[in-house]
Amino acid sequence: MIDLKSFFPTITAFIAFIITLCCLFAGTQKNLLDNVNLLTLYTPEGSSPSPYFTTTTTTTSPAHTFYSVHIMSYCQGTLGPLPPGATDLYGTRNVTACSNRTILFAFDPTAAWPKEVTHGPALEWPRVISDDFHAFRMTSRAMAVLYIIGVGTMGTVLLVKGVEVATRKKQYGVFEFGFLVLGSLSISIASIIATALAFEFVALINAHGDGSGVTARYGDKFLGMTWASTGLLILGSLVSFNNVFAQAPAAPAPSKDEEEG
């Protein structure tokens, strides 16, 4: 009979593995979970007073109206018109392209924007925002490394469980617990960093972009997914600890001689 309790940590690790992979690879290709982003940078398109009703870019204003920042890449595009009765002031997102996937990615808005826009008369680019992204560059890269470590540890948990099932040996439980704890720590720290960037960094960009039309918005879907993964790993670690260390061993069945005596 299958012991569901012993498989519960593996199930949580598997679900967290899938969720974290989605967070990690979101935005690495066009239309690949491009709405699951850490934050989005919105920019006015040239002389247009608002980016909210733009449908296409122009030759006089080649900048895109939004840049969606992910863990290993960024996507860019334009904002479509607001549908009647819409409550979202940012309209429909039309992703046009995504950058190449890079493990140690750090978004540089000055490099992403065309030079004629960031240094031309069409927009007074707030250089302090570039400085903000530069200051958080190492933090963003450390977060990416933590997510990769978390994915690796979760994959190892699944591998350990597979070996345990194949060999029918229970001593692999302690390894499962150890990798679950390591995965929980790495994803928890990465989620904390992502949350700090999402709230504090976005507030900083909005403050420094005031008056230039540059705004930012944090990705609520990304935060929900990364914290869901964190919760699953912590829960799996607790159950694994109980399975390995806290659960009392079953009493051995009495022998035939003891029963007759």
Side-chain angles (χ1 to χ4, degrees):
M1 183 176 179
I2 298 176
D3 185 3
L4 295 179
K5 189 175 182 181
S6 67
F7 278 90
F8 183 81
T10 310
I11 295 173
T12 59
F14 176 74
I15 299 174
F17 179 74
I18 299 300
I19 295 175
T20 308
L21 278 180
C22 291
C23 292
L24 191 60
F25 286 94
T28 55
Q29 293 182 10
K30 183 181 176 181
N31 298 325
L32 178 61
L33 298 174
D34 54 81
N35 60 338
V36 180
N37 56 74
L38 181 62
L39 62 91
T40 303
L41 186 67
Y42 295 96
T43 60
E45 190 177 50
S47 59
S48 175
S50 172
Y52 305 147
F53 302 92
T54 305
T55 56
T56 58
T57 55
T58 66
T59 55
T60 58
S61 178
H64 293 83
T65 50
F66 76 86
Y67 294 83
S68 180
V69 181
H70 303 269
I71 298 178
M72 297 196 298
S73 64
Y74 75 89
C75 295
Q76 59 191 19
T78 58
L79 293 173
L82 291 174
T87 57
D88 188 349
L89 297 179
Y90 291 92
T92 305
R93 291 159 50 110
N94 303 311
V95 178
T96 58
C98 295
S99 66
N100 294 329
R101 180 172 64 244
T102 306
I103 293 178
L104 297 179
F105 170 74
F107 180 68
D108 183 357
T110 305
W113 276 40
K115 186 176 181 180
E116 57 267 31
V117 174
T118 58
H119 296 81
L123 173 67
E124 292 184 8
W125 170 249
R127 299 287 302 186
V128 67
I129 292 181
S130 297
D131 297 336
D132 292 339
F133 277 98
H134 182 78
F136 283 90
R137 180 176 56 183
M138 295 306 298
T139 304
S140 299
R141 290 175 175 172
M143 178 185 65
V145 171
L146 288 169
Y147 275 114
I148 293 172
I149 292 174
V151 167
T153 55
M154 284 181 272
T156 305
V157 169
L158 301 178
L159 180 61
V160 167
K161 177 57 71 173
V163 172
E164 178 183 307
V165 172
T167 59
R168 298 183 179 180
K169 295 180 180 179
K170 298 295 185 181
Q171 63 266 33
Y172 292 102
V174 66
F175 294 103
E176 178 187 67
F177 170 72
F179 284 112
L180 275 171
V181 170
L182 180 58
S184 299
L185 288 175
S186 59
I187 299 300
S188 295
I189 297 173
S191 298
I192 291 172
I193 295 175
T195 304
L197 289 175
F199 288 97
E200 300 298 330
F201 191 36
V202 165
L204 188 64
I205 294 174
N206 288 332
H208 289 163
D210 187 27
S212 67
V214 178
T215 60
R217 189 184 190 189
Y218 68 84
D220 50 356
K221 291 182 180 179
F222 178 89
L223 292 181
M225 291 172 64
T226 188
W227 281 112
S229 178
T230 301
L232 286 168
L233 289 173
I234 292 176
L235 181 60
S237 298
L238 293 175
V239 175
S240 180
F241 176 83
N242 181 74
N243 291 342
V244 177
F245 301 105
Q247 191 173 16
S255 63
K256 185 175 181 180
D257 293 338
E258 291 177 343
E259 291 178 349
E260 292 177 354

